[in-house]
Structures are given as C-alpha cells and as structure tokens.
Amino acid sequence: MKKIDVIVDEQKVGELFYEQDKNSYGFNYTTNHKPISLIMPYRASTYNWKYKLHPIFDMNMPEKSMCVPISHLKRLAQKW
C-alpha cells in the first residue's frame, strides 16, 4: 500500500492511499487541523472510495501535460 501525505496550510492533515487487493482508495485524517473539504469533515474512520479516487482528490490532479514532469520529480526525490 502506497501513501501520499495530504497537506493543508503547510501542515500534514492526512494520508491518501490505494489498496490494490481491494481496488479501492482511502483517506485517513492524522490530525484535526482543518478539513480538506466541507464534504469530508474530520473523522477517525477511513473515507473509502471503490475503483477510483474520491472526487475531491480527482479534481485536483494535474493536467496530463504535468503528469510526466511530476513523476520525473518524484523519481529524482527518491534518489536524494
């Protein structure tokens, strides 16, 4: 399971992850700092979404032309 930190106002508020065996995405808040969205207020349990990203995350994905540069930066960061 790979995780991505979700940051609001320069503070980590949660983790977005994908579970391949369940083919689902999930999000867990790690702190009650600020909600990432009005439709996703803080809660201790996981927000699950089957087969695709929750629309809140999907709408913030970069355009296709930016996906390659971002993935390239990720590989560079892993080398450091």
Side-chain angles (χ1 to χ4, degrees):
M1 175 179 1
K2 296 185 179 196
K3 296 181 181 181
I4 297 173
D5 292 341
V6 176
I7 298 171
V8 174
D9 293 337
E10 299 181 12
Q11 182 175 348
K12 179 180 173 183
V13 296
E15 295 175 335
L16 178 66
F17 60 91
Y18 175 70
E19 292 181 312
Q20 189 170 4
D21 58 328
K22 295 179 181 177
N23 195 18
S24 68
Y25 292 85
F27 174 76
N28 287 321
Y29 278 101
T30 55
T31 183
N32 190 6
H33 170 64
K34 266 189 180 177
I36 58 170
S37 163
L38 293 175
I39 64 169
M40 290 181 74
Y42 175 82
R43 71 179 190 194
S45 59
T46 301
Y47 283 93
N48 288 308
W49 201 258
K50 292 272 189 193
Y51 311 115
K52 59 184 179 178
L53 279 174
H54 188 282
I56 292 299
F57 296 106
D58 191 43
M59 72 180 187
N60 291 306
M61 292 296 290
E63 297 293 325
K64 188 169 185 166
S65 63
M66 288 299 295
C67 288
V68 172
I70 288 173
S71 63
H72 179 70
L73 289 174
K74 184 178 176 185
R75 284 193 304 272
L76 288 175
Q78 290 174 345
K79 290 180 180 180
W80 289 94

